[in-house]
Amino acid sequence: MQNEYDIKRKKALRWGYLFALTALLVFVVFVARIVVLQNTNVEEIQDDYINKNYREATLPAARGNLYAADGSILATTVMRYDVFLDFKTMRDTIYNNNISALTDSLSVLFDKPKSYFRARFDQQKKAKNQYYQLVKGLDFDQYDRIRNFPIFNKGKNKGGFIVDRNFKRELATTEIGAGTIGMDTGKYSSGLEGAFSKYLTGTDGKRLEQRINSSQWKPIDFWKVQEPVDGEDVYTTLDLRIQDIAHSALEKQLIKFNADHGCVVVIEVKTGKVKAMVNLRRTEPGMYVDAYNYILKDATEPGSTFKTVSLLAAMDDGLIDENTRVQTSTSWTYQGQRITDHSAGNYDVSDVLAHSSNVGAAKLITAAYEDKPQVFLDHLRKWKLFDKMDIELPGITKPIIVTPENKRWNKATLASLAYGYSARFSLLQLATFYNGIANKGVMLKPLFIDKIMKDGQELFTAKPEIMVKKMASDKAIAEMTSALTQAVERGTAKSIYTPNLKIAGKTGTARFEYWKPGPFKYQASFAGFYPSDNPKYTCLVMINQPDTSIGFYGASVSAPVFKEIAGKTFLKTPLNIEKEMLTDKKVDFKKMVHNPVKISVKYDSMPNVKGLIGKNVIPQLENLGYRVDFKGVGKIKEQFPLEGVPLKKNQRIYLTLQN
C-alpha cells in the first residue's frame, strides 16, 4: 500500500510531464510560425487586408486669420461639426431605454416630427449601420447641445456618437466685401485670400480611416499619423475706418447718379500702404455689391487725370514751367484730329490743369515732343507705366500704350496721349503715380500686407519699397503740386475746395466705347492727395457710366466722393461732417464708425432695428431666413413688420433707410 509521500510524488510528476509537453508544443508552434512567416509574402497580406480595410486620409490644417491693420478680423476659419452614428456600437439597453427621449430632443432641435427620427433610427439599428450620417455643418453651439442628448452623451464607445470636424472659411466683417477679400479654392484664387495664400495655408496632417462598407470610411480619431500645422495670420494694410468711410461715400454717389459701377483706392503717402480699396457694382436699381476688383483688373483710358503725367514729363525736361503760356481755343485740329474744349484763353500750365484744357495739353506736348515722341515715352517707361505692376494681389492688368511701333500709331497719337487717350492703365497704377508726386517724387510700390504673425510671434513686417527713386526734378514736382492745388482752388474741382484742408487733384471725364453707335458712355474720375502742403493720403475715385441726364463730369460725380473721404479721414473741423458727429468742434470717430449690432430674433417675432445701420442688419436678417426689401442707405428709419409682430420663415421684411 502506497504511502502518502508516493502519491504526492506521482501527482507532481504527472503535472511536470504535462507542463513540459505543453511547453514543447508551444515551442514547436512558435518555430513553425516563424518558418511560415519567413516564407510568407507580407506585402500580399498588407494588400489583401490592411490596404483594403484601412487608409491614410488627409487631416486639414486650419487656415490662418486675415486681419485689418488695426487687428479686426476680415476672414477666419471656423470649426463645423458633422455627426455620424454607429448603431452597431450603440448598446441595446441604452438604445431601448433612451430612444424616446433622444427623438424628442432631436425633434425640437431640427423642427421635425419625432416619428421621422424614430423610424430611421430603428431601421439603422436593425441593419447595424456603423456610420449613419445624422447631420452636417453644425456650429459649436449646436454641437455642444446635441452631444448632451440622451444616448449621445454616452460617447462613441457606448452611445455610437461619432463627430467629424471640418473647417469653413467665413467673412467676419461687412465693411469689406467678398470681391476684395477674395477666395482660394485650390483651383481658383482671388483678392486678399489668394494673394496671401502661401502664408495663410497650413500643412495638412494625416489620420487613419477604417472601411465600413464599399463606399464609407470611418475615422479612427485616436490614431493620427501626423498632426496638422495651422497657417500663419496675415495683417493687411487696410484700415476699416477709412474703408467704411470710402464705401459709404462711394455707394451714396453711385445711387445718386444711378451709375453702373465705381471704385475708390486710398494710399498712405509715406509708406505706399493701401488703406482702403472699394469696388462696387450695381446688381439691381439702388443695390451695389463688392464682386469684382475694378481697381486692379480693368485697364481704362484715364482721360484728363493723365494730363498730370504728360505735363510732368515736359516740366522735368525743362520744356515748360509754371510761367509757360499757351493759347487755347474751343476747337483745334492737329494732324487731321479735331480736339475740343469747353473754354478758351491764354493759359499757363496751372490754368491748363485747372480748366482741364485738352487743347492746351495737346499743344504743349506736341510742341515739345512732336519730332521726338520717344523722349516723351521714355518718361512713361521710367515711371513704370509700361510695366505690369508687381504687387501681392493676383489679377492686376497690364497697361497698354500706343507707341510708334504699334500699327495704331499715327501723327495725331501724341496729342491723344497728352490728354489721356491712346493708353490704358489700371486705376491702381494711376493712383501710384499720383502718390509719387505726393511723396516728393519718390514712387513707392503699393503694399497690401502689413505683417505676418504665428503664435504671437512677428515673422515678417512690411517696409516701403521704392519703384522710382526720383520721378522728376524737385522743381518739377513742386510746380506740379502747386498746379494741382490750384486746380482745386479755382479750377474744375473748385466745388470741393475747403479752406480747412488743402487738396491737390485733377478731375477726369473720359468717354469710352466711343467707336460704338448709341448714347455716349462716360467714366468720371478724380485723383489727388491731401493735404497738399504735407500729404498724408493719396486717393483716386472712379465712377463708371453715371446717368448723363443727372451728370457725368468728374467734378460733379467723383470729386464729391474724394472730398467726403478727405474730410472724414483727416480734417479736425471738416465742413462736410454732420453736427452730431462733432464733439468740441472735433470729429468724434466713435460716433462716425458704428460697431455692428448682432440681431436676435426671439420667439420668432420681429426685433426693433430702427436706428441701426442697414448694411449691418440686412445680411443678418437674410441669414436668419427672411427676405428683405429696402430702399435708401445709412440708418434704418422705418420697418415693417413692427417690433414684436410674429415672423414666419421666408417672410418679407420692408426697411426704409435714411437716403
Side-chain angles (χ1 to χ4, degrees):
M1 193 172 176
Q2 294 179 335
N3 57 35
E4 186 178 350
Y5 172 78
D6 292 334
I7 294 173
K8 289 182 177 180
R9 182 174 177 274
K10 288 181 180 180
K11 188 175 181 181
L13 287 173
R14 282 197 302 269
W15 279 108
Y17 294 145
L18 182 61
F19 177 78
L21 181 62
T22 303
L24 178 62
L25 287 173
V26 170
F27 178 75
V28 171
V29 171
F30 179 72
V31 172
R33 184 62 177 165
I34 291 175
V35 173
V36 170
L37 288 175
Q38 286 178 336
N39 292 277
T40 299
N41 189 337
V42 178
E43 292 182 359
E44 187 176 317
I45 295 177
Q46 184 179 19
D47 185 62
D48 286 345
Y49 181 76
I50 297 178
N51 289 348
K52 289 181 180 179
N53 292 279
Y54 294 88
R55 71 179 182 183
E56 202 174 78
T58 299
L59 193 59
R63 193 171 172 86
N65 289 333
L66 192 66
Y67 292 94
D70 65 352
S72 301
I73 294 180
L74 303 180
T76 188
T77 299
V78 296
M79 188 77 77
R80 287 292 179 261
Y81 302 85
D82 302 339
V83 176
F84 300 86
L85 302 179
D86 183 350
F87 285 94
K88 186 176 180 179
T89 301
M90 198 179 294
R91 297 185 180 181
D92 292 342
T93 53
I94 293 176
Y95 181 84
N96 294 330
N97 292 337
N98 295 278
I99 186 62
S100 180
L102 173 62
T103 52
D104 277 341
S105 299
L106 292 172
S107 175
V108 173
L109 180 62
F110 296 113
D111 195 24
K112 290 182 179 180
K114 179 179 177 180
S115 58
Y116 172 87
F117 296 101
R118 183 61 187 261
R120 282 162 176 75
F121 285 8
D122 285 347
Q123 181 184 10
Q124 298 302 320
K125 180 65 176 171
K126 184 177 181 181
K128 296 183 178 180
N129 190 338
Q130 292 181 266
Y131 205 56
Y132 173 72
Q133 178 183 307
L134 175 62
V135 64
K136 300 188 76 172
L138 297 180
D139 60 28
F140 179 77
D141 289 341
Q142 294 169 319
Y143 161 69
D144 191 47
R145 182 177 172 186
I146 199 173
R147 69 176 175 172
N148 290 304
F149 284 178
I151 300 180
F152 297 166
N153 58 7
K154 303 298 182 182
K156 181 178 180 179
N157 295 329
K158 294 181 180 180
F161 186 72
I162 301 171
V163 179
D164 197 11
R165 295 164 177 83
N166 299 295
F167 294 120
K168 182 183 178 183
R169 197 67 169 172
E170 289 189 352
L171 300 187
T173 178
T174 58
E175 282 83 357
I176 303 178
T180 298
I181 292 178
M183 67 178 72
D184 184 7
T185 64
K187 294 182 179 180
Y188 174 78
S189 64
S190 65
L192 300 172
E193 288 273 20
F196 307 134
S197 193
K198 61 182 178 181
Y199 308 115
L200 294 166
T201 303
T203 303
D204 290 340
K206 296 177 182 178
R207 72 178 178 190
L208 286 183
E209 292 182 340
Q210 181 182 6
R211 182 187 291 277
I212 301 302
N213 52 46
S214 60
S215 60
Q216 285 185 310
W217 295 80
K218 182 173 69 172
I220 305 176
D221 290 334
F222 57 83
W223 194 346
K224 292 184 176 65
V225 179
Q226 178 183 326
E227 288 285 352
V229 179
D230 294 343
E232 298 163 353
D233 295 330
V234 174
Y235 286 73
T236 70
T237 59
L238 297 179
D239 184 314
L240 281 190
R241 182 178 66 87
I242 299 177
Q243 180 81 17
D244 191 46
I245 291 168
H247 185 287
S248 177
L250 177 65
E251 184 178 46
K252 185 164 55 178
Q253 202 76 340
L254 288 171
I255 293 171
K256 177 180 178 180
F257 286 90
N258 192 29
D260 183 77
H261 65 266
C263 53
V264 173
V265 60
V266 180
I267 302 174
E268 191 173 62
V269 171
K270 300 298 182 184
T271 64
K273 292 179 179 180
V274 176
K275 308 307 288 183
M277 183 168 62
V278 182
N279 296 275
L280 296 176
R281 179 174 67 190
R282 185 179 60 207
T283 55
E284 56 184 272
M287 176 68 74
Y288 291 85
V289 299
D290 176 4
Y292 180 84
N293 200 319
Y294 296 98
I295 293 169
L296 304 183
K297 297 181 179 181
D298 276 12
T300 61
E301 291 179 308
S304 292
T305 53
F306 194 76
K307 290 170 184 169
T308 304
V309 180
S310 59
L311 293 178
L312 184 62
M315 284 179 168
D316 189 40
D317 284 334
L319 301 174
I320 63 173
D321 61 23
E322 60 186 357
N323 298 314
T324 303
R325 306 195 73 84
V326 60
Q327 183 62 49
T328 69
S329 57
T330 55
S331 178
W332 181 59
T333 301
Y334 175 76
Q335 298 292 350
Q337 178 173 303
R338 183 170 175 264
I339 303 169
T340 60
D341 265 346
H342 291 287
S343 61
N346 188 257
Y347 292 160
D348 62 24
V349 172
S350 65
D351 293 327
V352 171
L353 288 175
H355 295 284
S356 196
S357 173
N358 295 338
V359 172
K363 279 190 171 184
L364 289 171
I365 296 305
T366 53
Y369 300 107
E370 185 175 31
D371 298 327
K372 44 189 175 184
Q374 285 295 352
V375 175
F376 174 77
L377 295 172
D378 284 344
H379 280 282
L380 307 190
R381 289 190 177 89
K382 173 184 175 182
W383 297 331
K384 310 298 183 183
L385 294 177
F386 276 87
D387 302 337
K388 182 178 178 180
M389 298 191 78
D390 179 21
I391 60 171
E392 297 105 336
L393 269 63
I396 185 76
T397 190
K398 184 178 180 180
I400 301 171
I401 302 174
V402 178
T403 66
E405 294 76 29
N406 192 298
K407 63 181 181 180
R408 291 178 54 201
W409 179 273
N410 57 51
K411 293 180 179 180
T413 301
L414 183 61
S416 296
L417 282 169
Y419 56 93
Y421 289 87
S422 297
R424 296 174 180 271
F425 307 95
S426 71
L427 295 170
L428 181 63
Q429 197 147 23
L430 192 60
T432 301
F433 180 87
Y434 272 81
N435 195 65
I437 297 175
N439 198 29
K440 301 188 183 304
V442 180
M443 184 186 290
L444 299 177
K445 174 183 174 179
L447 298 178
F448 293 88
I449 188 168
D450 193 22
K451 60 183 177 181
I452 299 172
M453 302 283 289
K454 177 69 173 178
D455 299 328
Q457 299 295 316
E458 201 165 292
L459 305 181
F460 169 80
T461 302
K463 296 180 180 179
E465 296 183 34
I466 296 176
M467 292 175 61
V468 181
K469 191 172 183 179
K470 194 172 182 64
M471 293 171 61
S473 67
D474 293 342
K475 178 186 177 185
I477 294 294
E479 289 185 353
M480 180 54 71
T481 301
S482 175
L484 290 171
T485 304
Q486 291 180 62
V488 175
E489 291 178 352
R490 58 181 177 82
T492 53
K494 63 184 178 182
S495 61
I496 68 168
Y497 169 73
T498 171
N500 300 55
L501 176 63
K502 282 191 174 184
I503 295 173
K506 181 71 190 76
T507 59
T509 307
R511 276 188 61 194
F512 65 98
E513 296 182 356
Y514 40 81
W515 56 89
K516 294 183 179 180
F520 290 172
K521 295 180 180 180
Y522 292 94
Q523 176 172 288
S525 57
F526 186 90
F529 46 89
Y530 56 94
S532 60
D533 50 358
N534 185 23
K536 184 177 175 79
Y537 296 115
T538 296
C539 177
L540 187 147
V541 180
M542 184 279 289
I543 293 180
N544 186 276
Q545 297 184 63
D547 186 336
T548 55
S549 66
I550 305 172
F552 59 90
Y553 289 111
S556 58
V557 178
S558 294
V561 177
F562 185 102
K563 179 183 179 182
E564 183 170 344
I565 294 170
K568 290 183 176 180
T569 58
F570 192 80
L571 284 181
K572 292 183 178 179
T573 53
L575 301 181
N576 53 357
I577 298 291
E578 293 82 354
K579 290 182 179 179
E580 62 269 20
M581 290 185 178
L582 295 176
T583 302
D584 296 329
K585 297 186 178 181
K586 293 183 178 181
V587 181
D588 186 348
F589 288 116
K590 292 181 180 179
K591 295 181 179 180
M592 184 183 300
V593 182
H594 303 271
N595 293 321
V597 177
K598 189 172 182 180
I599 300 300
S600 177
V601 177
K602 296 181 179 179
Y603 312 112
D604 295 326
S605 60
M606 181 67 190
N608 180 21
V609 296
K610 289 183 181 179
L612 301 180
I613 303 298
K615 69 177 183 179
N616 293 333
V617 170
I618 294 166
Q620 294 186 59
L621 290 173
E622 291 176 338
N623 289 336
L624 290 170
Y626 305 108
R627 294 180 294 171
V628 182
D629 279 1
F630 69 96
K631 59 181 179 179
V633 296
K635 293 182 179 180
I636 298 171
K637 294 196 302 182
E638 299 177 5
Q639 67 176 68
F640 181 83
L642 299 177
E643 180 183 7
V645 174
L647 293 174
K648 297 179 180 179
K649 291 296 181 184
N650 294 318
Q651 180 170 335
R652 194 177 295 276
I653 295 172
Y654 297 90
L655 302 176
T656 302
L657 281 62
Q658 280 182 330
N659 50 44

